[in-house]
Amino acid sequence: MRGPKLLTYLINSAAVLAAVRAHVGTAPGKTPQFQALPSLREQAELVDGWTEERKALIPGLLRKYGVDAWLMSQREYAEDTVFWALKEATQFSARRRTTHLFLANPAEGAPSSYSWIENTDVVWEDLRRILATQKPHSIALNTHSEIAFSGGLHAGEFDAVIRGVGEEWKDKFVLEPMLGVEVVATMVKSRLPWYRKMMETAWAIIEEGFSEKIIVPGKSTSWDVEWWMRERIQSLNYTTWFQPSVFILTTEGFPAADDPSAAMDDPRAPDHPIEYGDLIHTDFGVSALGLNTDTQHIGYVLYPGETEADVPEGFVEGLKKVNQLQDIVTSNMKIGMTGNEILKVVREQMLSEGIEGKIYCHATGEWGHSAGTVIGMTNLQDKVPVLGDLPLLKNTYYSIELYAEHFVPERNKTIVFPQEEDVYWDESTNSWQWVYGRQEELLLIRTPAKAKASAEAPSEL
C-alpha cells in the first residue's frame, strides 16, 4: 500500500487510536486493566485460607440460631450445596461418604468440628459416640424444600443418616434454613481485594469487546461478540458461570421487559449484525478463586466520524436514569429487612420519582446467584415467595440488577436501559459500596470518517 492510500490509512488509524486513548472507560477515572491470576498452587492457598476463616464462624452461627449441632452428609457426585463452600481447594467432589459435624458449644474440650471420608459403618459408630457425649438438644439438617442452600441433603442420604445414627436421635433433627444461607453468603474480608481484581478484569473484557478493536459495524454479530468474550475469558485463565449475552436494545428489545415470563438465567440473544446507531448491551461474568462476578453494561455504535458529542442525548439521559434507580435500591438495602420489604420501599420511591422499570437483585460471590434474600425477580415485582422473605445479611456481596425505561426522542420510542453491578457491605461506613465502580458513561464503538480513498478495515472477528 503506497501513496495516498497509505496516507489515508495512517490518518484514519491515528484518529481511531486517539479516540481510544481519550476514552477512559465506563466511569470517570476508571481505566480497567486485566488482572492476572496467581499460580494454581497460590490460588489453592488463598482459597483454603478463606475457607478456614469461614469455618471458624460456624459455631457462632449455630449459637446465633439456637442450634446445638449441624450434620451434613453426602455421597460422591451427590453433594450438599454447602459442601462447595467448605471443601478444600484440591477437592473436586465429595469422596465415598463425606460427613461433617459442627458443634455450637463442645463439652469436655472436644473440637467444634469433625469430618469423615468413609465407606464403612465407622462414620456412624463415631457419630453415635460423639452425640452420646455431647448430648445436643437440636441437630440441624439441610432439608428445606425451597432454598437450595438449606436443602442439599439428598433424600437417600437422609434415610442413611436415620439408619446410621439411630432412631433415638431422630427427634433431635431440626431445620434451620439460615445456617446454610449465612455460611455460604458470608464473604470474609480477605476475599474483597481479589474480588475487586476479578471485577476489574470483567470490566476490561467488556470494554475491549465493546470497542472498534472487536466490532466492525455491519459485519460483526451479537454472537460473534459473545464467543469472543468466552475466548477472552479462557485466554486469561479465568472461567465463567454463564454464557455471555449481547442484546441490541434498539432493535431486539430486552426479554425482562418484553416477556415477563421469560427466563432470564443466561438469556440467549438473537444473532444479528451490529449496525451503526445501535445501543448494545451485555450480561457478563467471570469466575475464579471460588468467586463469581455479574455485570451488565451498555455501549453505543457511533456512525463514522462521530464523537461523544454526537451520542443521542436520550441515550445519555437513559443511563443517568438507571444510575438514579441504582441509588434508590442501594440506599434502601437495610440490614435485617427482608427482600420483599426492600422491594416494596424501592417500588414506592420509583413511583414517586417517575421511574418505570424492574428490580431483580440477588446475592452473588460464592455462586453467581448466591445465598441470601432476593429483591424482586423479573416476573415477580410485588413479592418473591420464600426467598424474598429472608433477611438481608451484612458481609455479603450483591448484584444490583435492574433496568429503567426511558423515552428516547431521537428514536421516538421507549428503550430499556439495563444495568448490573456488584456491591459489598462496608463495615466501616455501614453501607453498600461498589466493588469496582458503576457504569456512568456509555461505551463507544468508534469508526473513523469514511475517506474517498479506500483504506484497510480494522481487525475484525
Side-chain angles (χ1 to χ4, degrees):
M1 184 167 56
R2 300 175 182 273
K5 288 186 178 181
L6 176 59
L7 178 60
T8 300
Y9 172 73
L10 291 174
I11 291 172
N12 289 341
S13 298
V16 169
L17 291 173
V20 171
R21 284 194 294 269
H23 181 49
V24 295
T26 53
K30 296 285 187 184
T31 307
Q33 305 296 318
F34 299 110
Q35 298 294 324
L37 294 169
S39 69
L40 292 177
R41 187 171 187 172
E42 291 172 304
Q43 289 184 50
E45 292 171 355
L46 278 170
V47 173
D48 285 343
W50 297 335
T51 302
E52 289 306 310
E53 288 186 66
R54 169 184 272 156
K55 286 181 178 178
L57 301 173
I58 292 177
L61 290 176
L62 290 171
R63 293 190 291 271
K64 175 180 176 179
Y65 293 108
V67 176
D68 295 330
W70 189 16
L71 179 61
M72 278 176 278
S73 191
Q74 56 257 303
R75 302 302 297 265
E76 188 171 16
Y77 309 133
E79 292 83 2
D80 190 302
T81 321
V82 179
F83 166 85
W84 302 103
L86 301 178
K87 73 177 189 67
E88 295 180 2
T90 52
Q91 286 182 282
F92 291 86
S93 69
R95 297 296 301 276
R96 300 181 176 181
R97 169 170 281 115
T98 299
T99 305
H100 303 292
L101 176 68
F102 296 95
L103 301 172
N105 297 292
E108 302 179 9
S112 61
S113 66
Y114 297 83
S115 294
W116 295 264
I117 298 177
E118 186 56 71
N119 62 356
T120 71
D121 286 341
V122 167
V123 60
W124 306 125
E125 295 167 4
D126 287 351
L127 267 171
R128 289 194 296 268
R129 184 180 67 255
I130 294 167
L131 294 176
T133 301
Q134 296 299 320
K135 298 180 174 60
H137 295 291
S138 54
I139 305 170
L141 298 178
N142 296 337
T143 57
H144 201 282
S145 61
E146 296 292 337
I147 302 174
F149 302 99
S150 310
L153 179 61
H154 285 230
E157 192 64 10
F158 175 74
D159 293 340
V161 168
I162 298 295
R163 290 194 303 270
V165 301
E167 288 287 336
E168 65 268 29
W169 292 104
K170 185 176 180 180
D171 290 341
K172 305 294 184 182
F173 293 148
V174 299
L175 170 62
E176 177 42 72
M178 288 307 296
L179 276 178
V181 168
E182 190 157 353
V183 165
V184 175
T186 300
M187 297 289 104
V188 296
K189 291 182 180 179
S190 52
R191 292 183 110 169
L192 183 58
W194 265 108
Y195 196 58
R196 184 172 284 123
K197 290 180 180 181
M198 290 173 57
M199 184 63 66
E200 182 176 1
T201 298
W203 275 46
I205 294 173
I206 293 171
E207 293 205 4
E208 184 178 6
F210 276 24
S211 76
E212 57 279 358
K213 290 174 61 179
I214 304 304
I215 294 175
V216 180
K219 295 183 180 180
S220 303
T221 72
S222 50
W223 285 13
D224 288 338
V225 180
E226 289 178 6
W227 284 108
W228 176 88
M229 287 177 160
R230 280 291 304 275
E231 296 287 355
R232 196 69 175 100
I233 293 169
Q234 194 79 11
S235 73
L236 295 167
N237 290 326
Y238 287 77
T239 184
T240 187
W241 59 282
F242 67 97
Q243 174 73 11
S245 64
V246 174
F247 282 89
I248 303 174
L249 299 175
T250 38
T251 58
E252 297 165 355
F254 193 58
D258 301 334
D259 181 3
S261 65
M264 281 304 296
D265 297 331
D266 311 339
R268 196 73 200 273
D271 188 25
H272 290 312
I274 297 171
E275 306 286 358
Y276 296 118
D278 281 344
L279 190 69
I280 59 176
H281 158 272
T282 186
D283 191 352
F284 180 78
V286 298
S287 302
L289 297 163
L291 291 165
N292 303 274
T293 71
D294 206 358
T295 305
Q296 294 182 39
H297 284 172
I298 300 172
Y300 176 66
V301 186
L302 293 166
Y303 285 89
E306 285 189 335
T307 67
E308 292 95 331
D310 299 299
V311 176
E313 186 62 25
F315 290 162
V316 176
E317 292 302 317
L319 182 56
K320 288 180 180 178
K321 183 178 287 186
V322 78
N323 286 160
Q324 180 184 351
L325 184 53
Q326 289 173 322
D327 291 337
I328 292 173
V329 172
T330 54
S331 65
N332 284 294
M333 287 175 61
K334 306 299 184 184
I335 302 302
M337 291 178 65
T338 69
N340 287 332
E341 290 170 340
I342 296 167
L343 179 64
K344 182 176 184 293
V345 174
V346 168
R347 296 291 299 176
E348 289 172 351
Q349 189 170 343
M350 287 172 61
L351 180 64
S352 69
E353 297 187 22
I355 298 176
E356 294 287 340
K358 286 186 178 181
I359 310 297
Y360 35 105
C361 306
H362 58 86
T364 192
E366 188 78 22
W367 299 79
H369 296 155
S370 199
T373 193
V374 297
I375 307 170
M377 287 187 171
T378 56
N379 62 330
L380 297 170
Q381 288 294 286
D382 292 322
K383 64 178 296 184
V384 178
V386 184
L387 292 176
D389 291 325
L390 299 177
L392 181 65
L393 300 168
K394 61 181 180 180
N395 301 324
T396 59
Y397 302 156
Y398 261 80
S399 280
I400 308 304
E401 187 175 10
L402 39 72
Y403 73 75
E405 298 177 7
H406 184 70
F407 180 75
V408 178
E410 296 88 345
R411 299 298 174 91
N412 194 31
K413 65 186 297 188
T414 297
I415 294 175
V416 167
F417 288 78
Q419 284 287 287
E420 184 170 17
E421 214 69 78
D422 294 350
V423 296
Y424 70 98
W425 177 254
D426 187 336
E427 195 77 54
S428 64
T429 62
N430 285 320
S431 64
W432 298 96
Q433 301 292 326
W434 305 112
V435 172
Y436 181 72
R438 70 170 176 184
Q439 181 175 16
E440 297 178 0
E441 298 174 354
L442 292 170
L443 286 165
L444 301 179
I445 296 87
R446 306 167 188 266
T447 304
K450 292 181 179 179
K452 291 181 180 180
S454 61
E456 288 186 0
S459 59
E460 59 186 82
L461 292 162

